[in-house]
Amino acid sequence: MRVVVRCINRYPYLTILIIFSICFYIFFVSSYDSPVHVILEKIPKLRSSKVTEDVFNFLRLDSAALRALCEKTEWNPDKVIFTCDNSIGGVGDIRNSILNCVRYAISAGAGLVIPRIILQNPEDISQIRTGERVSMAYMFDYSHFVNSLRYSCPQMVIYPYIDDVPNSNEGRGPITLLPESLYSSPIPKTGLEHPEKWRELFEGWLDGYYYFATNETMNMPVTVELGRSYLQYPIYSDGEEFALSFGGLLKFATI
């Protein structure tokens, strides 16, 4: 006790400061939750408010521009069937090739067999022409592709496999066609100069095969196997809205 009295007498200002600090804590600080409690209570709120959006996961394509294009197209899905089984390269190459194939199928008014892709050599990815074909589901969401086409282009008839096409065994083909080869002039780097003329050129090319058709095969479907097409169809020729939405047909498959 004497020690305390001596300290008070020797350090009066320090004593006053200590007493003031104790009173301040009792009457003000202790009446609130400690900062630790406040932080702990806010953590769940912070976690719930933070939304992580997966930009690669999106709903089926709902494209008014694609729907309008398909509505004005004259369709012949029972006579002409397109297959797209020659897409090779990296992800971007294959994606563009499949989209080009779909666009040519719309232009021709043809039925479409679900595309397949050619795998790279896993030990040497520079070897892209392996000839090993697998379903597009290896890389892209199969259901998303089908549902998007059926919703935004319901006129297009889609077949899972070529054997699902009625009378395909009795029809003609497959006839191989590189789409850009129908043009006599070289294709510029910007793509086809007059894509709107492609159907006319295609039908003229196809008439040559009908010339040799027999009575038995005249009304049977013709299967056209499209060659790999990459960066050839000028997608902006269909308008900005179409160009910005058309790629939504393909969504990467989830693992």
Side-chain angles (χ1 to χ4, degrees):
M1 187 66 180
R2 292 180 180 178
V3 175
V4 174
V5 173
R6 289 178 182 177
C7 290
I8 293 175
N9 293 332
R10 182 173 296 183
Y11 307 105
Y13 294 105
L14 178 59
T15 303
I16 295 173
L17 180 60
I18 293 174
I19 295 174
F20 177 82
S21 299
I22 294 173
C23 293
F24 181 85
Y25 178 83
I26 293 173
F27 290 103
F28 293 96
V29 178
S30 63
S31 61
Y32 295 93
D33 290 329
S34 67
V36 175
H37 291 159
V38 174
I39 293 174
L40 291 177
E41 287 182 358
K42 288 184 178 181
I43 286 177
K45 296 180 181 179
L46 292 174
R47 288 177 178 174
S48 62
S49 63
K50 184 179 180 180
V51 179
T52 302
E53 182 179 357
D54 185 356
V55 296
F56 295 105
N57 185 23
F58 43 88
L59 300 176
R60 68 181 178 187
L61 178 64
D62 180 6
S63 171
L66 176 56
R67 193 174 295 111
L69 176 64
C70 292
E71 286 176 352
K72 69 179 183 180
T73 298
E74 182 181 347
W75 293 89
N76 300 296
D78 56 333
K79 293 184 178 180
V80 183
I81 308 297
F82 277 13
T83 63
C84 309
D85 297 340
N86 297 297
S87 297
I88 59 175
V91 174
D93 299 333
I94 292 176
R95 180 178 181 273
N96 183 266
S97 181
I98 292 177
L99 291 175
N100 276 2
C101 183
V102 173
R103 184 60 186 87
Y104 281 122
I106 295 173
S107 183
L112 178 68
V113 178
I114 297 296
R116 294 189 296 168
I117 63 178
I118 298 178
L119 293 180
Q120 297 172 318
N121 184 340
E123 297 180 358
D124 182 3
I125 61 174
S126 65
Q127 297 181 13
I128 59 177
R129 301 181 185 275
T130 62
E132 184 180 355
R133 290 178 171 84
V134 296
S135 168
M136 65 174 292
Y138 179 87
M139 186 174 293
F140 301 104
D141 190 314
Y142 183 100
S143 297
H144 175 86
F145 177 75
V146 173
N147 292 335
S148 294
L149 275 177
R150 287 178 175 170
Y151 190 73
S152 291
C153 187
Q155 295 82 0
M156 174 177 279
V157 179
I158 307 171
Y159 301 98
Y161 304 99
I162 187 63
D163 292 339
D164 296 320
V165 178
N167 302 316
S168 61
N169 294 332
E170 301 176 10
R172 287 168 294 140
I175 306 170
T176 302
L177 171 66
L178 182 63
E180 297 79 32
S181 66
L182 298 180
Y183 290 85
S184 57
S185 58
I187 306 299
K189 293 182 179 180
T190 54
L192 306 180
E193 288 186 317
H194 298 286
E196 72 280 359
K197 295 182 178 180
W198 190 85
R199 175 159 183 162
E200 180 182 352
L201 295 172
F202 171 74
E203 290 179 342
W205 172 84
L206 195 61
D207 284 343
Y209 288 91
Y210 276 115
Y211 180 81
F212 296 99
T214 63
N215 292 333
E216 291 77 15
T217 61
M218 178 62 72
N219 296 320
M220 296 299 174
V222 177
T223 301
V224 179
E225 180 183 348
L226 288 191
R228 182 233 191 189
S229 177
Y230 177 64
L231 295 179
Q232 297 295 325
Y233 201 99
I235 200 66
Y236 269 92
S237 64
D238 293 310
E240 183 177 5
E241 182 182 352
F242 184 95
L244 294 176
S245 64
F246 190 58
L249 286 173
L250 295 177
K251 181 173 74 171
F252 291 115
T254 56
I255 300 176

